[in-house]
Every structure is written in structure tokens, then in C-alpha cells.
Amino acid sequence: MRSHNSHIVAFLFCSLSLSAQDWFSDRVMGQIHSTSGTDVSAIHILNTSIKKATISDARGFFDIRASVGDTLIFSAIQFKRKEVVISEDMLESKMLLVPMEDALTELDEVVVTPYNLTGDMGRDANRLNITPVVTATSLGLPNAYVRVPTQAERMLFEATSGGGLLPLNPILNGISG
């Protein structure tokens, strides 16, 4: 019975050792950099062979599981999509450097809906039919013409009138000067 248990322990130790080696040997670490110096944080990295993905950190570093022949796809809105097929040399190297090329999207014309603005202020101002802003005055509300006092006016009123049932502030202000 004792030798049977030792065989199980040896088997488990070997299998754990092999799986740990697989975990470390099948990892690709690298850094993404931009050819123009653009920020390379949050670049999406997808291993299409095993359907696993990761995102680069603030400095462009990443770590993803990969084997020889796997395809890594690097993508972000501001960069052109890049595909890299993993080779034996890439797995053996300590750091994979991935240059990304900027993807500039230029627009000939921008149309803002629902107003269909063209960017020409004179033409757009004449075409727009803008209704007046709804205010208390335009609605004819009874307190529409009441002026709201400023903060200084409200503080002066409080200091001189007391503002309550027992006007303590004017008494205290009179005593303190």
C-alpha cells in the first residue's frame, strides 16, 4: 500500500511540474509601441487559435498564452489591425516587441442630425428654424418679473431683519458692532 501511495504522489508531482512548465513556456510577453509615439495602453490582443484575449497595460506591456503557430491579433481604434504568427524564436525570446501603425481616418464631410449642419455658419443660421426658449416670461407666469436677490443682498437682509420669529441677528450685530 505504501509504494502505491508513493507512485500516486510521484505522478501528481510530475504532472504539476509539467503543467507549470507548460504555463510558463506557453506564455508570450511583450510590449506594443507606436511608430508615431501615440499612447499604446488598452490595446486588445486576441489569440485566435485558443480564443483567449488580453489587454495591454498603460505602458503597452502584455502577457498572453500562445504556442507555435498561434495567431495573435493586435487591434485598437487608433491603430491598423496587426496579425502576428507565433514562431519558436518568439516563444524563446524574453520580450516580443510589436510596432503598431496609426490608422488615421479623415472625413470629407460631417453631417450633424437632426439639424443637417454643414459647418458654414452663415448658411446654417439662415436654414435653421429655431423656436424661442421657453421661459417664465414667455409662458406669462405671475412671478416671471421677480428679480432674485444676490447672495450679498440676502446676507444683508438676514443681518438686519433677523428673518425669523425672534430677530437675534440684528440684536447680536448691534451688540458686537
Side-chain angles (χ1 to χ4, degrees):
M1 183 73 171
R2 186 171 177 93
S3 72
H4 182 42
N5 286 342
S6 64
H7 289 299
I8 292 174
V9 170
F11 174 74
L12 288 175
F13 180 73
C14 289
S15 64
L16 287 175
S17 174
L18 288 174
S19 68
Q21 287 176 353
D22 288 343
W23 190 86
F24 286 110
S25 66
D26 288 353
R27 308 288 302 170
V28 173
M29 292 187 283
Q31 183 179 23
I32 301 166
H33 61 89
S34 166
T35 56
S36 66
T38 310
D39 182 26
V40 290
S41 63
I43 306 295
H44 187 260
I45 302 114
L46 171 68
N47 184 335
T48 59
S49 304
I50 61 171
K51 306 291 189 240
K52 297 287 182 184
T54 189
I55 296 175
S56 67
D57 69 7
R59 295 182 297 152
F61 287 100
F62 68 93
D63 177 14
I64 191 167
R65 191 165 171 228
S67 300
V68 175
D70 286 359
T71 302
L72 300 182
I73 297 177
F74 299 84
S75 62
I77 293 173
Q78 69 271 30
F79 295 111
K80 291 182 181 177
R81 182 179 163 176
K82 182 168 194 133
E83 291 187 22
V84 175
V85 177
I86 300 298
S87 67
E88 187 71 37
D89 293 338
M90 289 177 184
L91 280 179
E92 291 173 2
S93 71
K94 296 290 183 195
M95 182 67 67
L96 177 64
L97 296 176
V98 181
M100 296 292 285
E101 188 178 337
D102 288 344
L104 299 176
T105 305
E106 294 182 15
L107 303 174
D108 295 331
E109 181 180 21
V110 176
V111 177
V112 180
T113 57
Y115 300 113
N116 294 328
L117 300 176
T118 64
D120 181 3
M121 293 295 285
R123 192 169 74 183
D124 290 341
N126 292 333
R127 286 187 325 136
L128 290 177
N129 182 15
I130 299 174
T131 58
V133 177
V134 176
T135 63
T137 307
S138 67
L139 293 176
L141 296 177
N143 291 333
Y145 298 102
V146 174
R147 187 179 73 77
V148 177
T150 65
Q151 181 182 9
E153 291 170 332
R154 291 190 307 267
M155 290 174 72
L156 179 63
F157 176 76
E158 174 66 25
T160 56
S161 70
L165 294 175
L166 184 60
L168 288 178
N169 283 344
I171 297 168
L172 293 173
N173 288 335
I175 293 171
S176 67

